[in-house]
Amino acid sequence: MLVYPGRCRLLRTAIVALYICLLCFSIVGAAAGKDYYHILGVSRDASQQEIKRQYKTLSRKHHPDKNPGDERAHERFIELAEAYEVLSDDEKREIYNRYGEEGLKNQGGPGGGGGFHDPFDIFAQFFGGQVRFDRRGSGSGRAKPRGPDVHVRVPVTLLELYTGTEIEVDISKQAICPHCDGSGAATPDDVETCNVCGGSGVRVVKHILGPGIVQQMQSTCDECGGKGKKVSKPCPHCKGSRVHREADVLAIRIEPGMRDGEQVSFEGEADQHPDHEPGSVVFHLQQQTHKTFARHGNDLHAEVTITLLDALIGFNRTIPHVDHKIAIELSRAGVTPPGHVQILAGKGMPIRQHVTAAAAASGGAFGDMHITYWIQFPKTVDAATKVELASIFGSATWDGSDAASKQNTRSHRGKQAPPESMAHDEL
């Protein structure tokens, strides 16, 4: 058998080269880590608007509250938050594009402290709540001022505050032009340094007041408006205004037990402008009047009218709750005076988790329901009925000697609700 040394060396060289290539691919794959673009389902050249829109859609779909007990959905929710946190920040995105996930770790982590922020905080930016960190930077100070907040009143029903829901609100806001990226120019080459102020944005004006006396004053350059740059050819889409109007949808998460006047804030969702950071959109919940119940704190109040016969001999009846899923049973065995209040413990509004510490001692998970009874008296009584009533109750007239009855009569005269000192039932 003939052996060709040259061919053997060539074969060994090829094997070594293949091994090195496989090793390099494994190193690159390890450095790249998670594919955040694939997680969000966007291309590598996706705009910030696309990234934001995709995160909002997918995070709502995989939120743990919508998928109770689904561990995979919870993990997906966390991955989406991590991907958005990196790709929504230009600096972190550039590092990730060049060095992958490993490069982010070497830079101290996405949150600046070696890890990611709470995924629920990021979710709260889009669906309401207080955000505990600034996603635009590490907090070292912004060069741009913050724009004004936008306040919107949102009508909500008592049912929505009782059960909780999600309300989508269509808004129209000012956004940075995606075609010129806020420069106002058709192309980057159409942005030129101002030839009047030399790019400083200010003009120096000298006034000769007299021999050897010169006054020097600075003013904003009227040629470039203080920007230091001029646009020779404006953007054809925004006409050089650098902004345009766009529609957006914000989803307000109404948690069970939220109250009238409560605020839900969306940080950074107000009008955009290249010269300032956007403010917040703040929704103010405005509870609408319910036909049966009135709300006071965590308690529900209702008024029920009963007949004179029911007031004397007792009754059993039901009324629907706010959500119409359960029936509230009302029962009285004895005499029910007008204005009497019956308290049904635990039949009121849900008590939100962050306020239970103040109300745990008295209400548990729900407030109480207060039922005030009013009596419907007959308009007329015929002679035969009068005789029958006289035989039942007797013909004696009240002389006012009963102090308790006298006080009770004064308590109800002309009042629509009994005083707090009045006795009531608790079930």
Side-chain angles (χ1 to χ4, degrees):
M1 180 177 180
L2 298 177
V3 178
Y4 300 95
R7 290 185 177 180
C8 291
R9 285 195 298 269
L10 184 62
L11 181 60
R12 284 197 298 269
T13 303
I15 294 173
V16 171
L18 179 61
Y19 176 77
I20 293 175
C21 288
L22 292 174
L23 181 62
C24 289
F25 278 121
S26 64
I27 293 174
V28 170
K34 296 179 180 178
D35 187 347
Y36 291 138
Y37 291 100
H38 177 72
I39 290 173
L40 283 179
V42 297
S43 61
R44 295 186 71 86
D45 59 349
S47 65
Q48 288 295 332
Q49 286 83 0
E50 292 178 275
I51 293 172
K52 180 187 294 185
R53 188 182 305 113
Q54 193 70 358
Y55 171 76
K56 289 168 67 175
T57 301
L58 295 176
S59 63
R60 289 173 58 193
K61 178 181 177 181
H62 296 283
H63 193 282
D65 288 351
K66 286 193 172 184
N67 303 274
D70 189 342
E71 191 62 30
R72 176 55 190 150
H74 185 255
E75 294 174 359
R76 181 91 167 104
F77 179 76
I78 296 175
E79 288 179 344
L80 290 168
E82 292 176 357
Y84 177 77
E85 185 175 350
V86 171
L87 301 184
S88 64
D89 186 288
D90 292 337
E91 182 179 351
K92 297 171 187 173
R93 184 177 181 180
E94 183 179 356
I95 296 173
Y96 174 75
N97 288 341
R98 296 181 63 181
Y99 306 109
E101 188 181 11
E102 196 66 29
L104 291 171
K105 294 178 181 178
N106 294 335
Q107 292 291 327
F116 289 94
H117 289 99
D118 188 338
F120 292 95
D121 281 344
I122 298 177
F123 184 82
Q125 289 180 278
F126 298 95
F127 299 96
Q130 299 297 324
V131 183
R132 297 193 293 268
F133 67 93
D134 182 12
R135 63 186 173 89
R136 301 185 187 89
S138 60
S140 58
R142 299 190 184 99
K144 297 180 182 179
R146 187 177 185 273
D149 294 338
V150 176
H151 295 266
V152 182
R153 294 188 179 276
V154 179
V156 291
T157 64
L158 186 63
L159 174 62
E160 291 171 331
L161 295 176
Y162 181 82
T163 60
T165 186
E166 187 175 282
I167 302 175
E168 291 189 346
V169 180
D170 296 321
I171 63 172
S172 175
K173 66 180 182 181
Q174 179 178 280
I176 295 175
C177 176
H179 301 279
C180 65
D181 200 23
S183 68
T187 66
D189 296 333
D190 295 318
V191 181
E192 304 173 349
T193 302
C194 178
N195 55 2
V196 175
C197 64
S200 65
V202 296
R203 296 181 62 182
V204 179
V205 181
K206 296 181 180 180
H207 297 283
I208 300 176
L209 304 180
I213 304 175
V214 179
Q215 183 185 40
Q216 183 172 293
M217 300 180 61
Q218 286 187 348
S219 62
T220 302
C221 179
D222 52 8
E223 184 69 19
C224 64
K227 298 180 178 64
K229 296 183 181 297
K230 294 194 307 180
V231 175
S232 59
K233 184 180 179 182
C235 172
H237 300 277
C238 66
K239 311 303 180 185
S241 64
R242 303 190 291 167
V243 294
H244 73 130
R245 303 299 299 182
E246 74 174 17
D248 197 2
V249 178
L250 297 179
I252 308 173
R253 286 174 57 83
I254 306 296
E255 298 178 12
M258 293 185 77
R259 303 191 180 195
D260 178 45
E262 198 159 342
Q263 299 179 8
V264 181
S265 300
F266 292 80
E267 182 183 332
E269 290 293 335
D271 288 339
Q272 301 175 2
H273 195 275
D275 296 336
H276 63 69
E277 296 286 354
S280 300
V281 175
V282 183
F283 292 103
H284 299 258
L285 304 185
Q286 195 169 36
Q287 180 186 315
Q288 297 176 314
T289 303
H290 193 272
K291 64 179 183 180
T292 302
F293 296 100
R295 181 181 183 179
H296 299 282
N298 295 316
D299 295 342
L300 291 174
H301 293 250
E303 295 185 353
V304 175
T305 301
I306 59 177
T307 65
L308 179 58
L309 181 61
D310 289 340
L312 293 176
I313 66 174
F315 59 88
N316 290 286
R317 65 165 61 183
T318 60
I319 61 172
H321 207 297
V322 176
D323 60 357
H324 288 265
K325 291 184 178 180
I326 60 174
I328 302 300
E329 297 183 1
L330 305 179
S331 177
R332 290 281 300 167
V335 175
T336 304
H340 180 78
V341 178
Q342 185 177 13
I343 298 179
L344 308 177
K347 299 298 184 180
M349 295 292 293
I351 300 176
R352 296 179 64 192
Q353 292 299 319
H354 67 274
V355 297
T356 49
S362 59
F366 288 84
D368 299 333
M369 181 178 292
H370 300 245
I371 304 296
T372 302
Y373 294 104
W374 301 108
I375 300 173
Q376 183 178 16
F377 289 90
K379 293 183 178 180
T380 59
V381 180
D382 57 35
T385 304
K386 290 179 181 179
V387 173
E388 189 175 353
L389 289 173
S391 65
I392 295 174
F393 295 103
S395 58
T397 59
W398 178 57
D399 58 3
S401 58
D402 187 344
S405 299
K406 188 175 182 180
Q407 181 180 3
N408 190 54
T409 302
R410 284 199 305 266
S411 300
H412 295 295
R413 186 179 297 139
K415 289 186 176 290
Q416 295 301 311
E420 294 182 358
S421 60
M422 181 178 176
H424 52 251
D425 292 340
E426 291 194 18
L427 299 182

